[in-house]
Amino acid sequence: DRPDPPQALRLSEASPTSLSLSWSPGFDGGLEQHFLLRAEGPGAPPPSATLVTSGFALTLGGLLPATPYDVTVRARNLRGDSAPARLRATTS
């Protein structure tokens, strides 16, 4: 099966130019999974730039100070993507 969405997406730390995020994995569907992270907002990487990690935390850098970003994290395995976990976070 496709994986379940990541759980408990949270902001671990905010700096003027970065957001550190962490989450708990959902059920992996019985297959190896990775996580796709995307931020949308002024100064965010372009939509085609999605960061991928196999861990449960990631820091987004190169962001604008005191700016809100809409962050989504999806789990992906060989069968497809999960629904997104969403968070709105602001750099300091």
Side-chain angles (χ1 to χ4, degrees):
D1 288 338
R2 293 185 320 166
D4 288 344
Q7 304 294 310
L9 176 59
R10 59 198 166 278
L11 178 66
S12 304
E13 184 178 348
S15 79
T17 60
S18 68
L19 297 171
S20 295
L21 305 157
S22 60
W23 58 90
S24 300
F27 175 63
D28 61 13
L31 300 167
E32 182 180 354
Q33 67 181 347
H34 292 74
F35 299 93
L36 291 79
L37 188 126
R38 178 177 292 183
E40 295 180 358
S48 60
T50 300
L51 302 172
V52 179
T53 182
S54 57
F56 310 128
L58 190 68
T59 298
L60 291 169
L63 305 177
L64 297 175
T67 304
Y69 291 90
D70 292 313
V71 179
T72 59
V73 179
R74 293 179 186 267
R76 173 177 284 174
N77 67 17
L78 291 174
R79 301 244 169 110
D81 292 357
S82 72
R86 299 179 187 275
L87 174 74
R88 185 158 180 93
T90 303
T91 50
S92 60

